[in-house]
Amino acid sequence: MLDVPAHLRDIATDLQHRLRRIEATPHPNLAQHQIQLDGEALRFPCRLYADGTRLMRLASALQGDARLLCFCLATRHPDGHLRQHALETLGAASAPWVLAFHLALLGEYVEEIAVAVEQQAQQIGLAAYLPLVRANPAFVDRCIQRAASYWDAYYRSRHPTLRTFPAHRLLLQLRSASRGP
């Protein structure tokens, strides 16, 4: 279900055991997100099915990176309100692997979550995202394409131009900044 950089492996192994105890399972038919971080792979589910209350209780009971990783995984829950709450609970955490979960959220359909990511990105600083964006251009391009598709399907009346849709706007800013002056 989860592949992480070496420094998180013990934490991830323990967390996966805890997630199994609350019967958390990834969607069986959806691909996993795969991102490169400093030459190491980060792979996580597109959707993680679990009782939301139990998942958030588990995350809240953990400390340090285990807590962050569990809240990151909660951003993969099918309930958009829970995803947004998990994202907001992460606050200004700026570890590259946390920012990878931010990018994945920008390729989804909930505008309020994209706005929350945008606010956190402003707080953290766009520069923190740039190594991740540079190392994963295909992933970023796919998120941009998905954001455009969701804008077309759900948000065209609220945002007359694609460039005003928060997810798309932030992704374009990140891609542009990653290419330098």
Side-chain angles (χ1 to χ4, degrees):
M1 167 183 17
L2 181 64
D3 287 331
V4 296
H7 72 281
L8 291 172
R9 285 201 184 111
D10 290 342
I11 292 168
T13 299
D14 178 64
L15 181 57
Q16 288 182 99
H17 290 297
R18 292 171 186 260
L19 289 168
R20 277 194 283 280
R21 280 189 226 131
I22 66 165
E23 300 175 4
T25 58
H27 191 288
N29 298 322
L30 291 178
Q32 303 258 322
H33 288 299
Q34 282 194 212
I35 297 176
Q36 289 296 309
L37 297 170
D38 296 323
E40 293 187 87
L42 172 64
R43 186 174 55 88
F44 54 92
C46 290
R47 282 288 172 261
L48 181 68
Y49 293 89
D51 177 270
T53 301
R54 292 177 76 192
L55 180 59
M56 294 303 277
R57 191 178 306 135
L58 170 62
S60 296
L62 298 170
Q63 300 295 316
D65 284 346
R67 177 183 175 91
L68 290 177
L69 186 55
C70 195
F71 277 119
C72 283
L73 288 171
T75 70
R76 311 316 312 145
H77 194 273
D79 180 334
H81 295 288
L82 192 141
R83 287 197 309 273
Q84 184 173 352
H85 180 66
L87 171 67
E88 291 167 350
T89 303
L90 287 168
S94 61
W97 53 272
V98 173
L99 302 182
F101 284 85
H102 286 193
L103 287 181
L105 287 167
L106 291 173
E108 295 189 2
Y109 60 91
V110 181
E111 180 179 16
E112 294 81 2
I113 292 175
V115 169
V117 172
E118 188 173 45
Q119 290 168 347
Q120 288 185 348
Q122 290 169 353
Q123 195 176 16
I124 294 165
L126 295 184
Y129 292 83
L130 299 184
L132 184 62
V133 172
R134 285 185 192 113
N136 297 280
F139 181 79
V140 172
D141 287 346
R142 186 169 58 249
C143 288
I144 290 170
Q145 292 166 2
R146 293 184 75 196
S149 178
Y150 288 127
W151 166 79
D152 186 45
Y154 303 111
Y155 297 105
R156 187 181 278 266
S157 63
R158 191 178 319 173
H159 298 279
T161 64
L162 177 58
R163 291 190 179 271
T164 64
F165 183 55
H168 195 264
R169 180 178 60 232
L170 179 55
L171 286 162
L172 290 181
Q173 287 175 326
L174 290 168
R175 185 172 66 183
S176 176
S178 75
R179 294 179 175 164

